[in-house]
């Protein structure tokens, strides 16, 4: 007889931690898959947010053995987490594919490949169409827009903690204006007027944009 199909790959340690909180194994696996196996905390939050979903107790789809055995698609929730951080959907998809749909590793990948031409290689195509030599550095004038900054909250460097302001969507032109949000540990709030906070930054993140 043919061997039984194995279930989706999840962190069994995280499954055990979630089941110890009283959740069913099925819900634990669905939550871990939906959050890109990013850990029990993210999965627990997902379960609480989807308690009333009609399909939350549906059987977890089992991957079939047929076909070319390609990688599974990243979950919409994991992709949205990356988009909410200011990355484009194309970059988010590529990072998840590069890291076997591991959300935490995908974040590390994105930050360490910020300058890579990841958006469908449109920059390379445009350069080829214009007859540019890819071996030569781009010396054309460039414009940048502020995409995020990190600042410190506390009376001195020995106390307090760091927070981040991020604009979404990420700027694509110098005139683009997104919505700024403050990330303070697990709390995220919209910041209508970010002007005063910008002057308190320690680290600033700029994105190259079109003129």
């Amino acid at each position: 007889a043919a061997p039984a199909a194995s279930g989706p790959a999840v962190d069994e340690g995280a499954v055990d931690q979630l089941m110890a909180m009283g959740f069913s194994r099925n819900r634990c696996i669905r939550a871990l898959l939906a959050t890109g196996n990013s850990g029990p905390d993210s999965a627990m939050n997902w379960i609480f947010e989807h308690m009333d979903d009609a399909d939350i107790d549906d059987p977890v789809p089992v991957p079939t053995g047929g076909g070319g055995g390609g990688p599974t698609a990243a979950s919409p929730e994991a992709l949205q987490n990356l988009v909410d951080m200011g990355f484009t959907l194309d970059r988010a998809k590529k990072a998840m594919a590069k890291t076997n749909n591991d959300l935490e590793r995908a974040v590390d990948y994105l930050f360490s490949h910020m300058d890579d031409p990841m958006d469908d290689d449109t920059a390379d195509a445009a350069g080829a169409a214009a007859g540019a030599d890819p071996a030569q550095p781009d010396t054309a004038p460039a414009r940048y827009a502020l995409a995020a900054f990190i600042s410190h909250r506390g009376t001195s460097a020995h106390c307090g903690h760091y927070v981040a302001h991020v604009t979404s969507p990420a700027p694509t032109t110098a005139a683009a204006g997104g919505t700024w949000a403050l990330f303070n540990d697990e709390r995220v709030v919209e910041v209508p007027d970010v002007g005063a906070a910008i002057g308190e930054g320690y680290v600033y993140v700029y994105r190259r944009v079109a003129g």
Side-chain angles (χ1 to χ4, degrees), residues 105-185:
R105 289 172 56 208
V107 172
D108 291 338
Y109 179 90
L110 285 164
F111 279 116
S112 60
H113 294 77
M114 292 288 285
D115 297 325
D116 287 6
M118 298 175 66
D119 293 322
D120 296 334
D121 296 325
T122 52
D124 290 347
D133 183 355
Q136 297 299 319
D138 181 3
T139 58
R143 303 190 69 176
Y144 294 84
L146 183 64
F149 61 94
I150 301 170
S151 53
H152 182 264
R153 295 293 176 86
T155 56
S156 74
H158 303 289
C159 64
H161 65 288
Y162 290 90
V163 298
H165 287 78
V166 180
T167 184
S168 180
T172 55
T173 67
T179 300
W180 283 92
L182 168 65
F183 290 75
N184 184 355
D185 292 334

Side-chain angles (χ1 to χ4, degrees), residues 11 21 31 46 52 68 71 97 104 120 130 133-134 149 169 184-185 189-190 201 206:
D11 182 351
M21 301 177 193
W46 186 93
D52 298 326
E104 186 173 347
D120 296 334
D133 183 355
F149 61 94
N184 184 355
D185 292 334
V189 296
E190 184 177 341
Y206 286 84

